[in-house]
Structures are given as C-alpha cells and as structure tokens.
Amino acid sequence: MPRTVWIARHGNRIDFVNPAWFDTAQRPYDPHLSEDGQIQAQQLANRLVGEGITQIIASPFLRTVQTAHAVAKKLDLPLKLDWGLGEWLNPEWMSCPETLSPEFLAKKFPKIDLSHPLGVPNYPETWKDCLQRTAETSQRLVNKFPEDNLLLVGHGASVLGTAMGLIPTLQEMDIKASLCCLVKIVKNGEEWKLELNGDTSHLTALETVIRFN
C-alpha cells in the first residue's frame, strides 16, 4: 500500500498581525496563533478528515502546537512533539529558543502524547544546519513509524527541509511554504513523490507575500 507524509506549516501568528505584540510579550520568540490563524488551523483540520493519517508530530513552538492540536482533535489522534521539526534557530531572529514546557503544553492541549522523545534544540544554527536537521527528522520519523501515514506540522523552514529529506532532488525554491499550507508526499514502491506542493485550497484567506520570520 502507498504511504503518505503530509507536511503543514502553522497558521498565521500574532506578531505577523500585530507587530507591537513583540514589545510586551512574556515569550516574544514563541508567538501564538492570531485569530485568523486559529481559523486556518481549523480549516486545515477539516481538510485532513478521511486522509488516513495515523500519526501527528509537531514542533514544540506554541503556534505549531495550536495548529497540530486542532487537527489532532478533529482526527481523534494523539499529538507528539519533536524538536527536529522546530523553527530555524537563527540568532538574528531569537536570543534563545523559548517554548513552554512539554508538561505545561500537555495540560493545555490534552491530545499531546509525552511518551515521544522531544529531543533538544541545538542553538544557534545556520540555515544549512536547519535544512539538514529537518531533513534528517523526516527520514527518522518515517523509519520510526514504518506502517503509518504521517502529518508533520512545522514552520516555513521545516516544510522545506522535511520535504527535501524525503525527496533529495528537490531544491529550496521548488517548495511552496505559505501559512497553513499542505505538502503531500507519497511513496508507492521505493521512491517518494511530490503530489501536492504548498496547497492552500482549504483556506478562505491567503497570504499575498510568504514570510518566514
């Protein structure tokens, strides 16, 4: 039977909508979803009903957890967290990778399954480091869950890296990674093939410019 890996980016984030939020935020490098981002997350969840997903794994940043948890609730699946899918740990973007503890997140988002090893962030990292880390993560996860269809929920950078990890012939510019988009990669035989690239047909509001930070 063919295997499928779905890759999604988180929904719109509060600091994209209200840049001044950053100035008073308790954790300015871990923004939550904006109101329209929450709508996008629910539209993503509705889109993925009936697609046969059996494992959901997400970056531990709040915006990705919120996005993935909407899907986990809709599909009634546990949600695993993995630093391998995390944001690009660029020192020009953040002074440190600040996220809520897994235990706190699990209380707030009850679909979270803490049995999956979260891993640790390796801060700081270059762009090349980030692409390598996320590529290795997608390879690791498909090997860890060989019978499953996966949904990986990450960031713009991790959408690129995880897709390139499964299809090494892809280049960065080949992959579309707008907010709450979907990439679908299918394996039927020995090779992974790209079937959807940055699909946003499930969304009612779209970006006009793709932003990564």
Side-chain angles (χ1 to χ4, degrees), residues 51-73:
E51 292 292 356
I53 293 167
T54 51
Q55 294 284 350
I56 303 175
I57 307 108
S59 156
F61 284 88
L62 183 54
R63 57 196 179 275
T64 42
V65 173
Q66 288 177 294
T67 303
H69 196 261
V71 182
K73 284 178 63 179

Side-chain angles (χ1 to χ4, degrees), residues 1-4 185-193 195:
M1 293 291 293
R3 292 186 64 198
T4 303
I185 301 177
V186 177
K187 186 178 186 181
N188 194 353
E190 294 302 315
E191 291 187 356
W192 293 95
K193 295 184 178 180
E195 285 202 357

Side-chain angles (χ1 to χ4, degrees), residues 48-99:
L48 292 172
V49 171
E51 292 292 356
I53 293 167
T54 51
Q55 294 284 350
I56 303 175
I57 307 108
S59 156
F61 284 88
L62 183 54
R63 57 196 179 275
T64 42
V65 173
Q66 288 177 294
T67 303
H69 196 261
V71 182
K73 284 178 63 179
K74 188 72 176 180
L75 303 186
D76 194 22
L77 290 172
L79 169 59
K80 298 173 173 63
L81 304 181
D82 198 306
W83 263 110
L85 298 173
E87 178 65 281
W88 176 18
L89 302 181
N90 181 352
E92 295 183 5
W93 289 2
M94 62 183 78
S95 59
C96 63
E98 51 184 14
T99 58

Side-chain angles (χ1 to χ4, degrees), residues 114-186:
L114 294 178
S115 68
H116 180 79
L118 176 64
V120 294
N122 186 16
Y123 176 88
E125 65 181 1
T126 65
W127 177 243
K128 182 178 178 181
D129 292 337
C130 176
L131 291 180
Q132 181 175 342
R133 182 228 328 147
T134 50
E136 290 173 351
T137 297
S138 60
Q139 295 165 6
R140 168 170 56 84
L141 291 173
V142 296
N143 289 330
K144 179 171 182 175
F145 302 108
E147 305 299 323
D148 288 284
N149 295 320
L150 310 183
L151 169 64
L152 311 180
V153 183
H155 309 262
S158 43
V159 170
L160 303 184
T162 51
M164 293 165 66
L166 298 179
I167 307 177
T169 55
L170 287 174
Q171 302 296 313
E172 294 172 39
M173 299 305 295
D174 295 333
I175 307 159
K176 301 174 184 176
S178 59
L179 292 170
C180 230
C181 71
L182 273 174
V183 171
K184 181 183 181 182
I185 301 177
V186 177

